[in-house]
Amino acid sequence: MSDLLTPTAFRLVCGFRLAVPVYWDLLTAEERREGVNGCGPDWFPDWLRRCLDWLSRFRPAAVVHDVEWREAIIPAEIVWANRRWWINTNTIIRQNIRRIPPVAVPTTWVWWQVFRCCYTLAVWIGTPWKYGQVLLRNR
């Protein structure tokens, strides 16, 4: 499913123009929904993921990321999923800054710091775990 030379397309996801994998349009809406588990890894309890979904301004970026992780069949796709997650979250932050009053900008900065922590944890903990899954599946 991967085309590593042109790995990104742009589509409207939850009202934001976000980077998606090139195979995004080949998936049905049902297949995309199956890949979405909410903000956070599978091993988080459901109540915690629901809280993160509710609190998170970055849910649209997480939707794309979740689908990509489910579809990943080679390690390079995991790297691209993480890159697009970073790009999409930056896009959401930039678009939200234009929509909110200047008084709320510090709140956006706080959310950016929260996302940086989540991203770091996902890359350092989640990526090696997912690499192992992909490599075992391809044996």
Side-chain angles (χ1 to χ4, degrees), residues 9-136:
F10 290 89
R11 296 291 178 270
L12 213 57
V13 179
C14 304
F16 293 95
R17 186 172 180 270
L18 300 179
V20 298
V22 291
Y23 56 80
W24 186 262
D25 293 333
L26 301 175
L27 300 172
T28 65
E30 182 61 32
E31 288 172 324
R32 288 187 208 137
R33 264 193 302 279
E34 287 173 8
V36 177
N37 69 348
C39 291
D42 288 336
W43 50 269
F44 273 12
D46 283 342
W47 66 266
L48 179 55
R49 284 204 307 260
R50 283 194 304 272
C51 275
L52 290 172
D53 284 347
W54 182 76
L55 290 171
S56 179
R57 295 174 173 206
F58 311 125
R59 178 79 177 119
V63 167
V64 174
H65 189 258
D66 286 353
V67 171
E68 287 192 84
W69 271 55
R70 185 184 62 113
E71 295 294 320
I73 56 173
I74 60 172
E77 289 178 327
I78 298 166
V79 172
W80 277 110
N82 288 338
R83 286 181 183 169
R84 276 189 281 269
W85 187 28
W86 184 267
I87 290 166
N88 288 340
T89 301
N90 279 302
T91 299
I92 291 168
I93 288 171
R94 282 195 312 274
Q95 289 179 15
N96 277 337
I97 284 177
R98 291 187 202 119
R99 295 178 189 168
I100 57 179
V103 177
V105 170
T107 305
T108 301
W109 180 86
V110 168
W111 279 111
W112 174 243
Q113 300 310 316
V114 168
F115 169 70
R116 285 183 53 207
C117 291
C118 292
Y119 180 84
T120 302
L121 284 172
V123 169
W124 285 97
I125 296 170
T127 300
W129 174 80
K130 183 64 176 179
Y131 273 2
Q133 268 192 327
V134 167
L135 295 173
L136 285 173

